[in-house]
Amino acid sequence: MESSGMSHNNFSNKTSKTPEYTAPAVTVAANVLRYLSGHRVGPRSLADISDAIGANRSTCYRVLHTLRANALVSYNPSTKQYSVGPYLIVLGERAKESTELYTVIADRLGDIVESTKLTAVLAQRVNNDEFIYLSKNEPHEHPHISVMVGQSFPLTAGSHGKCFLAWMEPKEVRKVLRRIGLPRYTERSITDPDQYLAELNKVREVGYAVSIEEHFPGIFGIAVPILDPKAHAEYVITSIGMANLVTPSIIQSTVSAMTRVANQIIAQVYGPINVKS
Amino acid sequence: MESSGMSHNNFSNKTSKTPEYTAPAVTVAANVLRYLSGHRVGPRSLADISDAIGANRSTCYRVLHTLRANALVSYNPSTKQYSVGPYLIVLGERAKESTELYTVIADRLGDIVESTKLTAVLAQRVNNDEFIYLSKNEPHEHPHISVMVGQSFPLTAGSHGKCFLAWMEPKEVRKVLRRIGLPRYTERSITDPDQYLAELNKVREVGYAVSIEEHFPGIFGIAVPILDPKAHAEYVITSIGMANLVTPSIIQSTVSAMTRVANQIIAQVYGPINVKS
């Protein structure tokens, strides 16, 4: 299965609402990097890039020139095309190193896949209203659901969303719901705020969230939070599979495999956890 | 051993010479990312960051705000500090994927370390006048030389530099030498252009470059190029060790281990090579 059907917009440009606090050229730079790093995007010309990101040609040229001087993009003078630059590799490695949790969790996704034979995903909240897929591990078995690292989604979407919100302050949950609402993605999406809040209570109680076709038709997700010592979930791990194959016993075995790994991760990063819950 | 003694400036801001082609805010953004990703730099406040990179406070704020909206930096509201953001991990992974050579070479550095017990480094030319350490693999044995991924150096520096220049067009070599010269790093640095050009001829002839304390006191490097089908070296691999331990037989065995791996890499990426060399 391909991820193209699971596409959402990338980060919505929220900064446009508060122009006094933004650096427009940096927004263009971020858009350039996000575009060039797309999975089906190889090296591209200036015209391709400025068209794709909807930026003025000469602004785009100056941004590319500056990114190039910093090795954040590469330029091939014979083809006159730009591509992602080597210094991004360095920055990415540093970002990983400085995020111990990321490294620990990403390393353990394979264990979950081994137990569940489902696609395992690590998601992180990246701003007030979105989370992104930071890392994934897919089973060797075919067919399986394939997802795209780097994709962003509204914070309330799917089983991940329920996990992020379930361990948030009620006041913040209300703000998030007010800002992004509960869109109808499928026939099974929960769009009623009261019903959604009741669902969040249940999620917090049982320690995991399930979404069967609530976000994408044909897909189910089971999500478990990686709780920090304050019981907040900046990271959520999810197992994703085909909805027509899900059964109560698959949910139960998936939850138990994921919870085991999540507890090991938490113990490794924050020290032993209380023998409660 | 620590890398702090091996420090060079990061990318010199060449763009400042041609202001009409640059996006100053993007330069600030690149400086912010480079600063925050430094090995001894953790989360930092706005004041720390703007002081460190020498940028105007309000410009810096707008740049940070925009980087944050794009998940390129993270912000902790309780400490009011910024750190490298999760989307850098995604961009780094994409940059790796789009650079097959990088992945293949980085994977094989460990094989070189296993044979040589020396630190192995992958360097890439990133602009006209510099190369950076893209990846490294260090031996378990202590003491050993430790280097820092992400550091940049003048294109002529050390054994890497000789490799980059040896497989360059003579016209381009002259331009590089004119722009950055041959600085005296140590008593053993080659600073005479004719002597350096003679050295480059020798390097091209034997297929590897040696520098014993020419760049850093106490350090030797042996470098081998990863030649593309046009016989250009965008990537160079180097084995680095303590100069007081180097012997002709160590040089010979290191060169033969590195050449074997380099040939395997070239065969894997570009197909079988001619049985000549």
Side-chain angles (χ1 to χ4, degrees):
Chain A
M1 293 219 179
E2 261 307 337
S3 53
S4 54
M6 301 182 64
S7 202
H8 263 272
N9 286 331
N10 265 317
F11 306 105
S12 40
N13 185 1
K14 298 214 171 42
T15 54
S16 59
K17 288 174 195 157
T18 51
E20 68 271 35
Y21 294 137
T22 68
V26 177
T27 302
V28 173
N31 289 339
V32 165
L33 293 176
R34 202 174 304 121
Y35 172 65
L36 285 177
S37 72
H39 259 301
R40 287 181 188 80
V41 179
R44 285 288 189 272
S45 70
L46 169 63
D48 291 340
I49 296 167
S50 58
D51 288 352
I53 67 170
N56 172 286
R57 191 74 45 102
S58 78
T59 304
C60 198
Y61 176 76
R62 282 184 290 114
V63 166
L64 280 165
H65 187 86
T66 313
L67 289 172
R68 196 182 144 193
N70 288 281
L72 296 168
V73 305
S74 297
Y75 179 68
N76 183 334
S78 44
T79 62
K80 303 196 179 202
Q81 289 187 321
Y82 298 85
S83 51
V84 280
Y87 203 71
L88 289 174
I89 298 176
V90 173
L91 289 175
E93 293 305 305
R94 295 289 171 73
K96 277 186 198 175
E97 284 167 22
S98 76
T99 315
E100 191 196 353
L101 248 174
Y102 164 83
T103 314
V104 174
I105 303 171
D107 282 352
R108 302 300 300 277
L109 291 183
D111 299 347
I112 296 175
V113 173
E114 207 173 298
S115 301
T116 62
K117 313 293 180 203
L118 298 169
T119 295
V121 169
L122 165 62
Q124 183 181 10
R125 184 177 179 183
V126 291
N127 56 37
N128 288 331
D129 297 336
E130 286 169 311
F131 65 81
I132 59 170
Y133 283 173
L134 256 195
S135 188
K136 67 166 179 175
N137 196 302
E138 298 186 4
H140 294 297
E141 286 78 8
H142 281 280
H144 67 258
I145 304 296
S146 182
V147 299
M148 199 169 100
V149 168
Q151 255 195 304
S152 62
F153 301 94
L155 196 57
T156 52
S159 60
H160 319 66
K162 291 180 190 173
C163 266
F164 283 114
L165 270 71
W167 280 272
M168 222 176 255
E169 303 297 330
K171 211 171 74 180
E172 208 188 342
V173 172
R174 281 193 299 273
K175 279 190 196 165
V176 170
L177 292 182
R178 214 173 305 130
R179 282 196 304 262
I180 61 179
L182 292 164
R184 174 165 297 290
Y185 300 111
T186 72
E187 280 181 16
R188 303 178 71 161
S189 299
I190 303 177
T191 54
D192 173 53
D194 289 337
Q195 196 188 338
Y196 194 80
L197 293 171
E199 176 84 2
L200 295 185
N201 284 333
K202 203 185 92 193
V203 167
R204 201 167 41 244
E205 207 176 294
V206 296
Y208 65 89
V210 178
S211 153
I212 301 176
E213 299 196 295
E214 290 174 29
H215 188 205
F216 288 111
I219 307 243
F220 82 92
I222 300 174
V224 168
I226 306 291
L227 295 177
D228 69 19
K230 289 178 174 170
H232 289 150
E234 194 196 340
Y235 292 97
V236 166
I237 51 176
T238 309
S239 290
I240 296 174
M242 279 165 278
N244 58 325
L245 302 178
V246 75
T247 63
S249 92
I250 285 179
I251 294 179
Q252 220 33 69
S253 62
T254 303
V255 165
S256 96
M258 293 177 74
T259 308
R260 192 174 59 242
V261 171
N263 287 340
Q264 290 165 352
I265 291 168
I266 292 166
Q268 186 176 342
V269 177
Y270 300 116
I273 46 174
N274 295 334
V275 192
K276 200 229 135 209
S277 88
Chain B
M1 294 217 179
E2 262 307 337
S3 52
S4 54
M6 300 182 63
S7 202
H8 262 272
N9 286 332
N10 266 316
F11 306 105
S12 40
N13 184 1
K14 298 214 170 45
T15 55
S16 60
K17 288 175 197 159
T18 50
E20 69 272 33
Y21 295 136
T22 68
V26 177
T27 302
V28 173
N31 289 341
V32 165
L33 293 177
R34 202 175 303 122
Y35 172 65
L36 285 177
S37 73
H39 259 301
R40 286 181 188 79
V41 180
R44 285 286 190 273
S45 70
L46 169 63
D48 290 341
I49 296 167
S50 59
D51 288 354
I53 67 170
N56 172 287
R57 192 73 48 101
S58 77
T59 304
C60 199
Y61 176 77
R62 283 183 290 114
V63 166
L64 280 165
H65 188 86
T66 313
L67 289 173
R68 197 183 144 193
N70 288 281
L72 295 167
V73 305
S74 297
Y75 178 68
N76 183 334
S78 45
T79 61
K80 301 194 181 208
Q81 288 187 322
Y82 298 84
S83 52
V84 279
Y87 203 72
L88 289 174
I89 298 176
V90 173
L91 289 175
E93 294 306 305
R94 296 288 171 74
K96 277 186 196 173
E97 284 167 21
S98 76
T99 314
E100 190 196 354
L101 246 174
Y102 164 83
T103 314
V104 173
I105 303 171
D107 282 352
R108 302 300 301 276
L109 290 182
D111 300 346
I112 296 174
V113 172
E114 206 174 298
S115 301
T116 62
K117 312 293 180 204
L118 298 168
T119 294
V121 169
L122 164 63
Q124 183 181 11
R125 184 176 179 182
V126 292
N127 56 38
N128 287 331
D129 297 337
E130 286 168 311
F131 64 82
I132 59 170
Y133 283 174
L134 257 196
S135 188
K136 66 166 179 174
N137 195 303
E138 298 187 3
H140 295 297
E141 286 79 6
H142 281 280
H144 68 257
I145 303 298
S146 182
V147 298
M148 198 170 100
V149 168
Q151 256 195 305
S152 63
F153 301 95
L155 196 56
T156 51
S159 59
H160 318 67
K162 291 181 190 172
C163 266
F164 283 113
L165 270 71
W167 280 273
M168 221 174 257
E169 303 297 330
K171 211 171 74 179
E172 208 188 342
V173 172
R174 280 193 300 273
K175 279 190 194 165
V176 170
L177 292 182
R178 214 174 305 131
R179 281 196 305 262
I180 62 180
L182 292 165
R184 175 163 298 290
Y185 301 110
T186 72
E187 281 182 16
R188 301 178 73 160
S189 299
I190 304 177
T191 55
D192 174 53
D194 289 336
Q195 196 188 339
Y196 193 79
L197 292 171
E199 176 83 3
L200 296 185
N201 285 333
K202 203 185 92 193
V203 167
R204 201 167 41 242
E205 205 177 294
V206 297
Y208 64 89
V210 179
S211 153
I212 301 176
E213 299 194 296
E214 289 175 29
H215 187 205
F216 289 111
I219 307 245
F220 81 92
I222 299 173
V224 167
I226 306 291
L227 295 177
D228 69 17
K230 288 178 175 168
H232 289 148
E234 193 195 341
Y235 293 97
V236 166
I237 51 177
T238 309
S239 289
I240 295 174
M242 279 165 277
N244 59 325
L245 302 179
V246 75
T247 63
S249 92
I250 285 180
I251 293 178
Q252 219 35 67
S253 63
T254 303
V255 165
S256 96
M258 293 178 72
T259 308
R260 193 174 58 243
V261 171
N263 286 340
Q264 289 164 352
I265 291 168
I266 292 166
Q268 186 176 340
V269 177
Y270 300 116
I273 47 174
N274 295 335
V275 192
K276 195 225 140 210
S277 92

